[in-house]
Amino acid sequence: MNRRCHVNRRTTLLGAGEILAWWAVLALLWLVFISAVTTLELVVGTSAALVAAVAAWGARRAVSRW
């Protein structure tokens, strides 16, 4: 296995872990602020948290490259 492949795999795993962490925090925050937890609210909240997690990850990467 060449070194470049290993670095890309590690970077991918770290990125996925970071997105998962963002998603968990944002989904939990959503659940704290809604009044009634219905199936629709759960689907919308977890979906919105995933979109926001990917955006937060991308923003952090953009800022860290400066």
Side-chain angles (χ1 to χ4, degrees), residues 18-45:
E18 184 179 349
I19 289 173
L20 182 64
W22 274 110
W23 174 81
V25 169
L26 292 169
L28 180 64
L29 192 61
W30 176 278
L31 286 173
V32 167
F33 285 117
I34 62 173
S35 58
V37 181
T38 63
T39 303
L40 180 60
E41 285 286 340
L42 198 57
V43 169
V44 169

